[in-house]
Amino acid sequence: MTLLQVDSLSSYYGDARALHDVSLEIGDGEIIAVIGSNGAGKTTTLRTVSGLIKPHAGDISFEGMSILKMPAHRRIELGIAHVPEGRRLFPQMSVRENLLMGAYGASTWKSRRSLIDEMCDLFPRLRERIGQYAGTLSGGERQMLATARALMSRPRLLMLDEPSLGLAPKIVKTLFTIIERINGEGVAVLVVEQNVQLALKLATRAYLLENGHMIKSGETASFLQDEDIRRAYLGV
Amino acid sequence: MDMPLPLIIAQIINGLIAGSMYALFASGLTLIWGTMKMLNFAHGEFFMLGGYLVYYFYAVLGLNPAIAALLAVGIVFVLGMLIERVVIQHLLSSPVWQLSTIIATLGISIFLQNVALHIWGPDFQNVPYFINGVANIFGIRIAYQRLLIFGVSVVSISLMWFLLKHTRFGLALRATSQDSDAAQLYGVNVLAVYTLTFGISAALAALAAVMLSPIMGVNPYMGLSPLLKGFVVVILGGLGSFSGAILGGLMLGVIESLGVLYTSTEWGDVIAFGFLVLIIWVRPWGLLGVEERN
């Protein structure tokens, strides 16, 4: 069943067109990757899905219902959790308070304590840092916290913007194992990555964005075999 | 020169009492700066309206002072929310919102001053003390009204602190002030937070005026001087820092009243503002503010 359907999205940054007719879809429990170089429109696509940017044309629907007119703060209650570019933690709030923000929605707020426990089991480092300001965490810990904050909302769809950026390879590996495990529990995952190799290994399907155009989509295997993609993005 | 110790202690206590009012007033200003990143030049007029409303309900209509105070603060709270909703909110999405909110709040300030001038005239109006009598604490005489001022500000600042640190709304407010986009992503209705914050801020200013009006009287322009000092306190404590505003307010009060002890009243301001210049010279981000790094 289709969970998220993005249909012919177009948007502008001032006069410059950021997205041209971008479409993508993700099924329930699926894991997909959106790849492309810097400025291709990957972040704009995610920000449009979560409602931070209003598109000029096109439609977005979640479980068959258009969410275009729904304000950003209500989309999380549908089950769309977005870990934005740069993590965007609340730096002067403790790890615990950042997690609480993830459960801010009325339906998760009641079970916030048990959710925090769950997250600390999933990311043991967060338990050690629970009282510390988020601004004092290391890069890896920040990404863990940002992911855990999103999971606190019990999402149906987890959207991750450049989760591997700036992290040591070992931490990236841990993180991606956890993402796979979350996906295994039925959460659909949409990951945007500049690290194409990593993204194609994680996902089952992928989309390629270039200059705001969606120029290729399909099984990740077909991406790995594509000569142009190998040359441009995998360096082989 | 030698000053007798009891006199110095009495002045410190007086300074703390005055400072607690600066703190109450400035905490509203800093709350708005912290969440909305805007300067509210109408804050002094919310103060002034609080003063006139308690004058009207208590001195004119003769209601019980506690009820009059609650009515005054409640009305200004609602008015603050209304002004945010009708005037400010539309400006926030404009690309020049920083300038337009300054101009709009200046306009509101002038408008409210003239409304007060029209209704109550230019003269000072007196408000009787809420309680009469003088307490004698270890030989230091303090009017009950001043003790009441201090008590009310301690209670209301504690309540504010609890609201910010231990409630779901406080969490949303702090999240909004640190990253409004991320707050929205996690379910915070940021526009509603702005409206409520504006109302709370206005109510804090009104509460300060309610408590002070028996001592200083009410007048259409009574909000001007607190606004300037409020900005001083907010910068002294660190822009956007709630605890900074409390600390800054108390410090300014004590410095002023000790300054008066050693020099004349006119020099009190010179000392207080000189001290401010000194502090922001050493710590440009204020006492409890966060240093911005780029």
Side-chain angles (χ1 to χ4, degrees):
Chain A
M1 197 197 86
T2 308
L3 190 62
L4 175 78
Q5 175 115 36
V6 171
D7 214 9
S8 313
L9 224 50
S10 292
S11 66
Y12 296 79
Y13 266 139
D15 287 334
R17 201 158 175 184
L19 297 179
H20 307 254
D21 240 359
V22 166
S23 299
L24 66 84
E25 60 170 66
I26 176 164
D28 217 359
E30 209 186 1
I31 182 161
I32 68 162
V34 176
I35 60 172
S37 47
N38 228 341
K42 306 184 302 283
T43 295
T44 307
T45 306
L46 290 201
R47 287 171 66 86
T48 311
V49 170
S50 57
L52 292 176
I53 297 177
K54 301 261 168 290
H56 290 82
D59 195 19
I60 303 167
S61 54
F62 195 76
E63 295 188 296
M65 186 185 74
S66 174
I67 57 169
L68 214 53
K69 292 207 165 64
M70 187 180 270
H73 68 267
R74 287 186 48 216
R75 297 190 190 186
I76 186 133
E77 295 239 25
L78 291 178
I80 303 175
H82 179 180
V83 181
E85 192 183 23
R87 285 96 200 202
R88 306 287 287 268
L89 296 169
F90 304 109
Q92 292 177 74
M93 286 176 23
S94 68
V95 168
R96 190 173 170 277
E97 288 174 328
N98 269 276
L99 290 173
L100 280 178
M101 277 310 296
Y104 184 81
S107 56
T108 40
W109 185 253
K110 287 187 288 286
S111 39
R112 59 193 184 277
R113 287 196 178 82
S114 61
L115 281 165
I116 287 181
D117 267 344
E118 243 176 78
M119 290 309 136
C120 289
D121 291 341
L122 197 59
F123 302 98
R125 279 303 277 277
L126 296 182
R127 182 169 278 131
E128 293 166 31
R129 301 267 183 265
I130 199 84
Q132 242 171 271
Y133 275 171
T136 66
L137 299 182
S138 72
E141 289 164 348
R142 282 179 202 205
Q143 185 59 49
M144 302 289 173
L145 177 54
T147 311
R149 180 179 62 179
L151 291 174
M152 289 286 291
S153 68
R154 291 220 167 285
R156 306 274 313 277
L157 169 65
L158 178 65
M159 303 196 296
L160 300 154
D161 197 342
E162 304 279 7
S164 77
L165 199 70
L167 301 187
K170 208 181 129 198
I171 296 167
V172 173
K173 216 178 139 197
T174 316
L175 181 68
F176 275 57
T177 312
I178 291 172
I179 294 173
E180 272 176 339
R181 197 193 315 169
I182 295 161
N183 177 245
E185 285 164 14
V187 179
V189 177
L190 192 168
V191 63
V192 156
E193 264 290 352
Q194 275 191 74
N195 187 335
V196 172
Q197 190 127 33
L198 208 63
L200 292 182
K201 237 164 75 182
L202 180 76
T204 52
R205 283 191 312 114
Y207 292 87
L208 174 63
L209 261 176
E210 257 175 27
N211 298 323
H213 294 272
M214 197 65 97
I215 61 167
K216 183 178 162 69
S217 66
E219 304 286 313
T220 44
S222 71
F223 274 68
L224 290 166
Q225 284 151 11
D226 188 309
E227 271 308 312
D228 293 338
I229 290 176
R230 286 168 66 87
R231 214 174 304 115
Y233 295 99
L234 297 171
V236 282
Chain B
M1 58 183 136
D2 276 345
M3 285 282 168
L5 191 61
L7 189 59
I8 293 178
I9 294 174
Q11 276 307 88
I12 289 177
I13 291 173
N14 276 330
L16 285 174
I17 292 169
S20 73
M21 287 289 105
Y22 290 150
L24 207 58
F25 183 88
S27 63
L29 267 184
T30 211
L31 217 50
I32 288 198
W33 171 267
T35 39
M36 306 169 78
K37 307 290 179 277
M38 62 168 272
L39 295 171
N40 176 18
F41 281 92
H43 200 60
E45 278 58 47
F46 291 135
F47 176 84
M48 179 268 291
L49 281 182
Y52 268 113
L53 287 170
V54 84
Y55 159 76
Y56 179 72
F57 289 124
Y58 174 53
V60 177
L61 295 187
L63 294 182
N64 174 296
I67 292 170
L70 279 178
L71 278 173
V73 171
I75 289 172
V76 175
F77 171 67
V78 173
L79 184 75
M81 290 202 296
L82 205 69
I83 285 177
E84 197 281 338
R85 189 70 189 75
V86 175
V87 183
I88 309 293
Q89 202 165 97
H90 301 287
L91 302 176
L92 290 176
S93 52
S94 136
V96 289
W97 63 274
Q98 276 164 317
L99 187 63
S100 43
T101 48
I102 287 177
I103 294 169
T105 54
L106 269 175
I108 293 163
S109 155
I110 295 166
F111 173 77
L112 291 177
Q113 273 172 24
N114 283 288
V115 168
L117 192 65
H118 190 75
I119 301 177
W120 291 294
D123 301 328
F124 269 95
Q125 306 289 342
N126 288 318
V127 178
Y129 275 23
F130 298 154
I131 35 173
N132 289 303
V134 175
N136 193 326
I137 304 164
F138 301 117
I140 296 166
R141 291 163 55 81
I142 305 169
Y144 280 127
Q145 177 71 31
R146 288 181 187 269
L147 285 180
L148 184 68
I149 286 178
F150 193 68
V152 165
S153 58
V154 168
V155 169
S156 47
I157 287 168
S158 308
L159 282 175
M160 273 307 296
W161 182 84
F162 181 82
L163 179 79
L164 287 173
K165 284 284 177 187
H166 295 286
T167 66
R168 185 162 170 255
F169 171 71
L171 195 69
L173 191 151
R174 284 184 294 137
T176 303
S177 73
Q178 291 177 34
D179 191 329
S180 60
D181 272 1
Q184 276 188 69
L185 285 181
Y186 289 97
V188 177
N189 183 348
V190 166
L191 293 181
V193 168
Y194 289 161
T195 306
L196 210 51
T197 305
F198 214 86
I200 291 172
S201 165
L204 288 170
L207 181 62
V210 163
M211 299 313 296
L212 281 174
S213 57
I215 290 174
M216 49 184 266
V218 294
N219 165 283
Y221 307 108
M222 69 191 276
L224 293 175
S225 160
L227 185 72
L228 278 180
K229 290 202 174 146
F231 281 134
V232 169
V233 166
V234 165
I235 294 166
L236 185 67
L239 274 167
S241 161
F242 182 76
S243 36
I246 310 303
L247 183 67
L250 294 175
M251 275 178 71
L252 185 69
V254 171
I255 291 163
E256 268 183 357
S257 74
L258 285 182
V260 168
L261 196 60
Y262 287 100
T263 61
S264 61
T265 318
E266 292 79 34
W267 278 95
D269 276 353
V270 176
I271 292 169
F273 284 85
F275 186 73
L276 167 83
V277 171
L278 198 70
I279 285 197
I280 57 175
W281 186 32
V282 185
R283 283 178 69 90
W285 53 92
L287 291 169
L288 298 182
V290 182
E291 186 180 3
E292 278 183 34
R293 295 187 188 88
N294 286 321

